[in-house]
Amino acid sequence: MRICLAIKYTLIISIVLILVMSISAFLHIDKVQRIFANKAMHEADLISEMIILDSYHLMLEDNREQLQLMIEKVGASDKIKQVRILGREGVVDFSADKAEIGTALGAKDESCSFCHLPDSRVLSNAPVETRSKLFSDAEGEQSLRIIRGIYNDPNCSTAACHFHDASQSKIGVLDMVLVLDQMTALSKTHHSDVIVSTLIMIVLLSGFHFLLTRRYLSRPIRSLLEQSKALAKGDLSARVRTIPKDELGELAQSFNDMADNLARAQDELKEWGGTLEQKVEERTAEMARMQSQLVRTAKLASMGQLVAGVAHEINNPLTGILMFASLSAKTPELPQQVRDNLELIVSETNRCARIVRGLLEFARESIPEKRPVDLNELLARTLALVSQQAIFQNIEISCRYGKNLPRLQADADQLRQVFFNMIINAGQAMPNGGTLQIKTRLLESGDEILVVIEDSGVGISPENLERIFDPFFSTKSQEGFGLGLSVSYGIIKNHGGRFDVISKEGQGTSFRIYLPLVLDQSVQEGG
């Protein structure tokens, strides 16, 4: 069972207060009792002194009857329980109780023990604390016995009675017992007041401690506990609203910081989870593209082997047909119809030879002979050669070459063939005119040069976009073999580069060629 923190600490503090204040009250009561007792002793001693002074003249006159009457009158007071005068030998000479007059007391009697020590020495002029004793009688009534010596005076030995000799120092003892009922009642009242006030102080201090503990300790801890339980159940909005400026406040602030971090972490997880599907799709598309490139590469490799074999097999027969057809067409005796047929055979054979030549170029994986190349200059020369053709009459050509492009290591002839094919394809894609843009720039990574050849032509449909690098596939209605892009793809691949194609049907096509930059060491050393 859980005990409230305020109650637990209040109980502990109350126990400590009870112990401390009980000790304090006991010491206080004891001190007050001693003060009351001391005051009673001095008052009783003063009374005894007054009795002795009053009896002085009666003793000088040896008026025993009058002295006895005075003792009886004093003993009649309700505050005095016993009063008597003892002689030197312990005989009761005068007493408020006439029955004890003439009786002798022993040295061990209470009345004599104040004057005699165990070693039989007699005290002279003893202090009141030595001559007084507090005691309780059989009824439990608190009383005070005080003894006062009556000493010899020169007048006592010269008086008419001549009862005492001048050599005697002590001639008697006044023995008096006072009732301390008033002092006892006052002491009890004071004791009750002390006990009650102590209890009241304990209750008040415990109550204030309970309220303060609950306000400044239990309440902040309870708030922190409630928010911790809410956070444990998944409520990430749980926060401690009231933060005191103490250690508990630092603990509450640490809890709020932890909750903020958990909330941010969950938001990041949700955001990551929300974009996970998109990332998976992007990764899947990338993997599909890589797989497509691998398939295309494998297809090109296998196609290259097949084409190389076929081209070699048909190249020799075509050469023989072309040679004999050309020689036969030059015979003057042939009829015109036969000569026309032979010329047609020569023309188609030449066409077949060009196809075979293209097949061989496609199949041949020639190793690039790399030398330092100025890419902007290579593009400018290729464009100057191609732009004179008739298909570029209605086409506006825009060139934006990157400034201070570093020279790259490449095979200039092979790159010229790639750019030639790209520019020709762009011109054929704009039969009714348009805009051709050629751009070059160094990428921010600094390790690649980007070449962009972009036209505003008819574009490529999505279903044909994935097949444009396949051999013998062409989107043009004009005469063509469908090998230009395949050959260009192989050249760029052999240079360590890559192709990107962006096209929308009816809006044009953008070919992006990324060529890895290998700086010319001689240029660097010379610069």
Side-chain angles (χ1 to χ4, degrees):
M1 181 180 68
R2 185 170 68 89
I3 301 177
C4 178
L5 187 63
I7 296 176
K8 181 189 294 185
Y9 277 96
T10 300
L11 289 175
I12 295 174
I13 294 299
S14 298
I15 293 173
V16 174
L17 285 175
I18 290 173
L19 293 175
V20 172
M21 298 193 71
S22 296
I23 295 173
S24 175
F26 173 77
L27 296 176
H28 179 69
I29 290 172
D30 182 68
K31 182 178 180 180
V32 170
Q33 283 182 334
R34 286 189 279 107
I35 291 174
F36 282 171
N38 189 54
K39 183 178 180 181
M41 290 176 188
H42 285 83
E43 289 180 353
D45 191 49
L46 182 61
I47 293 173
S48 66
E49 184 179 4
M50 292 175 63
I51 293 174
I52 291 176
L53 289 175
D54 289 341
S55 64
Y56 178 73
H57 296 287
L58 295 175
M59 288 183 181
L60 290 178
E61 295 173 0
D62 196 20
N63 191 349
R64 293 176 175 271
E65 292 79 6
Q66 191 66 31
L67 182 58
Q68 176 64 30
L69 289 175
M70 186 192 71
I71 293 298
E72 292 178 358
K73 187 176 181 180
V74 171
S77 173
D78 55 355
K79 292 185 178 181
I80 297 177
K81 188 175 183 179
Q82 184 185 61
V83 59
R84 59 188 177 181
I85 296 176
L86 307 178
R88 292 183 64 255
E89 303 299 331
V91 178
V92 179
D93 292 334
F94 303 94
S95 174
D97 183 7
K98 294 181 179 181
E100 65 176 357
I101 296 176
T103 61
L105 304 179
K108 295 183 179 180
D109 189 270
E110 291 286 343
S111 301
C112 299
S113 62
F114 287 91
C115 296
H116 296 276
L117 293 175
D119 56 2
S120 300
R121 290 187 295 109
V122 179
L123 292 174
S124 177
N125 294 324
V128 66
E129 290 81 9
T130 305
R131 297 181 287 103
S132 303
K133 181 179 181 180
L134 289 170
F135 66 95
S136 298
D137 57 15
E139 290 86 15
E141 188 177 43
Q142 189 82 9
S143 300
L144 172 66
R145 180 182 295 277
I146 186 166
I147 304 297
R148 189 178 184 90
I150 302 174
Y151 298 97
N152 196 1
D153 188 89
N155 292 329
C156 294
S157 58
T158 58
C161 64
H162 302 288
F163 189 79
H164 299 289
D165 188 77
S167 62
Q168 297 177 351
S169 60
K170 183 184 290 186
I171 58 177
V173 172
L174 174 63
D175 179 19
M176 185 171 58
V177 177
L178 282 76
V179 178
L180 300 180
D181 54 349
Q182 184 177 3
M183 188 195 76
T184 302
L186 183 62
S187 178
K188 289 182 178 179
T189 302
H190 179 265
H191 296 171
S192 300
D193 292 341
V194 171
I195 293 173
V196 171
S197 62
T198 301
L199 291 176
I200 292 174
M201 290 178 65
I202 291 174
V203 172
L204 289 177
L205 289 174
S206 299
F208 281 120
H209 181 271
F210 174 78
L211 295 176
L212 294 175
T213 303
R214 188 176 63 175
R215 172 66 178 83
Y216 294 103
L217 189 63
S218 296
R219 190 174 297 173
I221 293 177
R222 187 183 304 113
S223 175
L224 181 60
L225 180 62
E226 291 174 354
Q227 300 304 322
S228 299
K229 290 181 178 179
L231 183 64
K233 292 179 180 178
D235 182 10
L236 296 181
S237 63
R239 298 290 186 280
V240 179
R241 306 302 175 188
T242 303
I243 300 179
K245 297 180 179 180
D246 52 19
E247 288 81 358
L248 289 176
E250 294 179 2
L251 182 61
Q253 186 60 49
S254 298
F255 171 82
N256 288 345
D257 294 341
M258 178 187 69
D260 291 339
N261 292 333
L262 287 176
R264 281 195 298 269
Q266 189 181 55
D267 292 340
E268 291 176 359
L269 286 175
K270 287 182 178 179
E271 182 180 358
W272 186 84
T275 58
L276 179 59
E277 183 176 353
Q278 180 182 355
K279 292 179 179 178
V280 170
E281 291 178 355
E282 292 176 354
R283 189 65 175 175
T284 302
E286 183 180 357
M287 292 179 66
R289 183 177 62 82
M290 293 175 63
Q291 184 178 10
S292 176
Q293 290 180 352
L294 290 175
V295 171
R296 183 183 298 118
T297 302
K299 185 189 296 184
L300 290 176
S302 59
M303 184 65 71
Q305 294 177 358
L306 175 63
V307 167
V310 173
H312 280 94
E313 290 296 328
I314 65 174
N315 191 44
N316 292 332
L318 283 178
T319 303
I321 293 172
L322 180 59
M323 182 181 66
F324 286 107
S326 298
L327 292 175
S328 299
K330 295 179 179 179
T331 304
E333 292 85 4
L334 290 177
Q336 186 62 38
Q337 181 65 34
V338 176
R339 185 179 290 108
D340 292 339
N341 291 336
L342 288 174
E343 289 177 356
L344 180 59
I345 291 172
V346 171
S347 175
E348 292 301 317
T349 303
N350 283 326
R351 182 170 177 270
C352 290
R354 289 195 300 273
I355 294 174
V356 170
R357 192 181 306 112
L359 290 174
L360 289 173
E361 290 178 355
F362 167 74
R364 186 187 305 119
E365 293 185 358
S366 57
I367 299 176
E369 296 180 2
K370 295 182 179 180
R371 294 184 179 85
V373 175
D374 187 333
L375 194 61
N376 290 341
E377 182 181 353
L378 181 63
L379 276 168
R381 290 182 179 180
T382 305
L383 184 61
L385 178 63
V386 176
S387 61
Q388 302 302 320
Q389 297 189 24
I391 58 175
F392 291 98
Q393 290 182 358
N394 297 324
I395 295 176
E396 180 182 353
I397 301 176
S398 172
C399 298
R400 285 190 294 175
Y401 300 139
K403 295 181 179 180
N404 301 321
L405 286 184
R407 300 170 71 183
L408 53 83
Q409 297 289 329
D411 190 320
D413 292 335
Q414 289 187 4
L415 288 185
R416 187 181 294 108
Q417 182 180 356
V418 172
F419 298 148
F420 184 88
N421 289 337
M422 295 292 102
I423 295 172
I424 290 296
N425 286 343
Q428 292 175 350
M430 297 181 287
N432 299 321
T435 302
L436 173 64
Q437 295 186 22
I438 301 176
K439 309 172 189 176
T440 61
R441 67 183 176 90
L442 180 65
L443 295 183
E444 293 181 359
S445 61
D447 56 358
E448 285 183 317
I449 293 178
L450 172 63
V451 180
V452 179
I453 300 176
E454 185 175 344
D455 64 67
S456 60
V458 296
I460 304 172
S461 63
E463 60 270 15
N464 293 333
L465 194 60
E466 295 295 326
R467 302 179 57 195
I468 58 173
F469 293 111
D470 293 346
F472 306 110
F473 176 80
S474 176
T475 60
K476 299 187 291 289
S477 58
Q478 293 90 342
E479 184 177 329
F481 308 137
L483 292 174
L485 288 179
S486 299
V487 173
S488 299
Y489 181 87
I491 292 173
I492 296 301
K493 179 175 174 295
N494 287 337
H495 279 77
R498 52 193 172 92
F499 260 110
D500 274 347
V501 183
I502 302 174
S503 181
K504 288 186 179 180
E505 202 168 4
Q507 297 184 13
T509 303
S510 175
F511 284 91
R512 297 172 180 265
I513 304 172
Y514 296 87
L515 292 170
L517 183 60
V518 180
L519 293 178
D520 183 7
Q521 298 297 326
S522 63
V523 174
Q524 287 183 335
E525 293 172 0

